[in-house]
Amino acid sequence: MKGNSPDQKQQSFLYQGLKELLNPKEPMYQLSEKIPWEEIEKSFTKYYVEFGRPSKPVRLMVSLMILKQMNNLGDETVISQWVQNPYWQYFSGEKIFQWKYPVEPSDLVHFRKRIGEEGVKKILEISIKLHGKSAMEKEVIVDTTVQEKNITYPTDVKLYRKIIEQSCKISEEENIEQRQSYKRTVKKMLLLQRFRNHPKNKKKAIQAERKMKTIAGRLVRELERKLSTEQKEKYEAKLKIFNKILVQKKEDKEKIYSIHEPEVYCISKGKEHKKYEFGSKASIVLTKRSGIIVGAYSLEKNEYDGHTLPKALDQCEQLRGLRPKMAIADRGYKGKTKIGETEILIPKPKKKSMSEYEKKKMRGRFRRRASIEPVIGHLKTDNRLCRNYLKGLVGDQLNVMLASAAYNFRKWMRKAETFFVSFYKITEEMIFRFYELALTLSSTKITF
């Protein structure tokens, strides 16, 4: 059952709540007044039933998700900081200052699962509409980036070790007697992996790796023999992953790099400092002049950049109700010059027939295209796109869209802050000039 947000209206002239105590010129205060909370609550009503215990208010849960992404915090840390910050509490719809934690950290996990991809897309849509006409530009910039998953750098030895540990764990849970646990043997094999690339140690390390693979296969086969049909159904997905890891080779495609995140794939973006990244590719669409993110989604597979354009442009049209007339991209998007009504611009040698004006305009467009790179950098360092802690393919989609929405909200807050600062400067200057004029008039003598 959906819970109701507290009424923020002043109850009496003697009472002073957060609304009366806080500074109304503060950007966070202004943002809380600008976001259409009633529209969010109305659109999220379908995710709740009409009976049972009332849930936490929708505004509280959505605001905690936004604050978490805006300030690059975890589920636990955003709740602990919420208690200390009155502006965050007002943003969440509280009427008076609270001393207790609003929710448990696990409630945010359940809420994300409840609203899913569709609900998070609604939050991104509101963050775009908040900017008004600035987000309705006809020209956009498109690029892809990698959001890495929260896994260690995968190696065969690490995967074999995890298979052995998890096979032993399943045996303990299901009371299956093993012939041997290999705990001491595995410890010795792992010690031999140190300084693996040294010529003296390489041969021993490779032999130890082979032995670990043999042990892992032996334990998996033993489980498959001794598990009952009901137990096999319970662990079917895990056993399938174990067998695939033991069979896969270096040249294979669609390899498994993590047992708890089997959807992760390897991406090589040609970076000198990081040759391979393990996670998912994300597509970002940015307005050309205002720099507002009007599209963001995660790719299930490592597709060619040019094949990601149709979906990116369709999502952009869904979110703001306007299809871009021109999309500016880098050479990684080679292949198509037009998708539907949208023209695709990619850097290429200039034609001799082009005038100087056309050359200058094209040069300006491609220089502007580079502005998406620092935006992606900010998404990674400030809005939790650098490392994704949410599980599965759905977690990838939620993380990239929430990061983009948080970026748009932060951008709006910066605009609000600069507006009030410039407004105060102008008013101060006007008062000072008026005071000077008054002094000069009072000092001059009027004669008839």
Side-chain angles (χ1 to χ4, degrees):
M1 182 178 172
K2 186 171 79 70
N4 296 319
S5 299
D7 186 14
Q8 285 191 323
K9 291 176 183 177
Q10 190 172 341
Q11 300 299 316
S12 74
F13 70 94
L14 295 171
Y15 173 78
Q16 278 196 327
L18 288 171
K19 192 176 178 74
E20 290 76 32
L21 291 169
L22 299 178
N23 177 15
K25 303 294 186 291
E26 189 69 27
M28 182 60 73
Y29 190 104
Q30 291 289 321
L31 183 64
S32 63
E33 295 293 314
K34 190 77 175 174
I35 292 172
W37 295 110
E38 288 179 7
E39 187 187 330
I40 291 170
E41 290 199 6
K42 194 178 178 182
S43 60
F44 284 9
T45 306
K46 61 184 175 183
Y47 303 118
Y48 295 86
V49 291
E50 293 180 0
F51 56 87
R53 191 186 71 174
S55 67
K56 296 289 181 182
V58 171
R59 178 171 177 175
L60 172 67
M61 301 306 293
V62 171
S63 62
L64 284 170
M65 281 168 60
I66 293 167
L67 289 167
K68 175 194 165 182
Q69 294 288 145
M70 281 170 69
N71 298 281
N72 196 7
L73 301 169
D75 289 344
E76 294 87 359
T77 46
V78 73
I79 290 163
S80 62
Q81 288 193 27
W82 184 91
V83 180
Q84 302 166 19
N85 198 320
Y87 286 98
W88 285 18
Q89 293 192 16
Y90 180 73
F91 182 74
S92 304
E94 291 296 337
K95 193 167 61 175
I96 56 171
F97 190 75
Q98 302 294 320
W99 295 355
K100 293 180 181 178
Y101 286 170
V103 293
E104 290 294 322
S106 57
D107 289 337
L108 287 169
V109 180
H110 300 313
F111 185 74
R112 281 194 295 266
K113 285 180 181 177
R114 184 189 287 271
I115 63 171
E117 191 182 331
E118 192 183 347
V120 173
K121 195 183 278 186
K122 181 67 182 175
I123 297 167
L124 178 58
E125 186 186 337
I126 284 162
S127 76
I128 293 163
K129 287 180 178 177
L130 203 68
H131 291 268
K133 289 182 180 178
S134 302
M136 297 297 168
E137 289 183 26
K138 292 177 181 178
E139 293 184 21
V140 295
I141 303 162
V142 191
D143 202 2
T144 57
T145 187
V146 180
Q147 55 168 346
E148 289 186 86
K149 210 72 172 181
N150 188 33
I151 62 167
T152 61
Y153 192 90
T155 60
D156 290 339
V157 175
K158 284 182 187 177
L159 291 169
Y160 299 150
R161 181 193 178 184
K162 283 177 184 176
I163 289 169
I164 292 162
E165 285 175 355
Q166 291 194 26
S167 298
C168 293
K169 193 179 177 182
I170 291 166
S171 299
E172 283 176 20
E173 285 175 0
E174 301 300 331
N175 296 319
I176 292 168
E177 192 177 342
Q178 289 178 308
R179 287 184 299 173
Q180 193 177 340
S181 64
Y182 298 100
K183 282 184 181 177
R184 289 180 185 176
T185 312
V186 168
K187 195 175 180 181
K188 287 177 185 176
M189 298 299 110
L190 289 170
L191 285 169
L192 291 168
Q193 298 303 318
R194 295 188 304 168
F195 310 109
R196 182 191 171 98
N197 292 325
H198 195 278
K200 288 183 179 179
N201 302 333
K202 197 160 191 178
K203 194 176 178 181
K204 287 179 183 177
I206 290 166
Q207 285 174 350
E209 185 189 326
R210 284 176 188 164
K211 193 168 184 179
M212 280 188 75
K213 186 179 179 180
T214 307
I215 291 164
R218 197 177 291 165
L219 288 171
V220 171
R221 288 190 295 274
E222 189 179 9
L223 271 179
E224 287 174 337
R225 282 197 310 272
K226 292 183 178 179
L227 285 171
S228 64
T229 50
E230 289 179 3
Q231 290 170 337
K232 271 185 183 178
E233 284 176 11
K234 187 180 174 183
Y235 298 105
E236 187 182 358
K238 265 194 177 180
L239 290 168
K240 196 176 179 182
I241 290 165
F242 292 166
N243 285 316
K244 192 173 180 181
I245 289 166
L246 291 166
V247 171
Q248 69 189 13
K249 293 176 183 177
K250 189 180 178 181
E251 300 81 17
D252 291 350
K253 290 182 179 179
E254 295 183 4
K255 290 194 285 185
I256 292 173
Y257 297 99
S258 173
I259 291 169
H260 75 283
E261 290 287 354
E263 299 90 3
V264 163
Y265 48 87
C266 179
I267 306 149
S268 178
K269 279 275 189 178
K271 296 176 185 176
E272 196 173 341
H273 66 286
K274 200 181 280 185
K275 196 176 180 183
Y276 302 109
E277 292 172 286
F278 299 92
S280 64
K281 197 187 272 190
S283 176
I284 307 292
V285 183
L286 191 77
T287 53
K288 184 188 160 188
R289 293 195 178 278
S290 55
I292 298 154
I293 297 171
V294 290
Y297 81 98
S298 178
L299 283 77
E300 289 185 16
K301 292 182 179 180
N302 188 8
E303 295 179 40
Y304 168 62
D305 284 359
H307 298 159
T308 66
L309 270 172
K311 193 176 177 180
L313 295 170
D314 289 342
Q315 191 201 35
C316 180
E317 189 179 3
Q318 287 170 15
L319 290 170
R320 61 176 191 163
L322 178 71
R323 193 173 181 85
K325 285 192 174 180
M326 193 175 287
I328 307 160
D330 58 19
R331 288 188 177 90
Y333 286 84
K334 275 183 182 178
K336 289 187 179 180
T337 54
K338 203 167 186 181
I339 295 170
E341 295 175 1
T342 311
E343 189 184 347
I344 313 300
L345 282 183
I346 296 159
K348 54 188 175 182
K350 293 163 190 171
K351 293 177 182 177
K352 289 181 181 179
S353 59
M354 286 174 76
S355 64
E356 284 299 319
Y357 171 74
E358 285 175 328
K359 286 178 184 177
K360 191 178 178 182
K361 202 170 183 181
M362 290 296 281
R363 200 183 302 118
R365 278 188 175 129
F366 295 127
R367 279 180 181 173
R368 186 62 192 164
R369 190 218 67 82
S371 66
I372 198 169
E373 303 297 344
V375 169
I376 289 168
H378 282 296
L379 282 171
K380 289 193 173 188
T381 53
D382 304 336
N383 303 121
R384 296 182 74 78
L385 197 70
C386 186
R387 191 165 286 273
N388 180 18
Y389 295 89
L390 307 183
K391 190 169 172 60
L393 293 168
V394 178
D396 296 337
Q397 292 286 0
L398 300 189
N399 192 56
V400 70
M401 284 196 278
L402 282 170
S404 303
Y407 177 86
N408 288 342
F409 286 130
R410 280 168 67 99
K411 192 175 183 69
W412 189 91
M413 283 171 67
R414 285 196 299 273
K415 277 184 184 176
E417 193 174 9
T418 51
F419 169 77
F420 283 115
V421 167
S422 59
F423 177 75
Y424 285 140
K425 281 181 180 177
I426 291 162
T427 49
E428 278 179 12
E429 196 176 339
M430 285 175 72
I431 290 162
F432 181 71
R433 283 183 180 180
F434 180 76
Y435 181 68
E436 277 187 335
L437 185 65
L439 283 171
T440 51
L441 285 170
S442 63
S443 61
T444 55
K445 290 179 181 180
I446 301 167
T447 54
F448 296 96

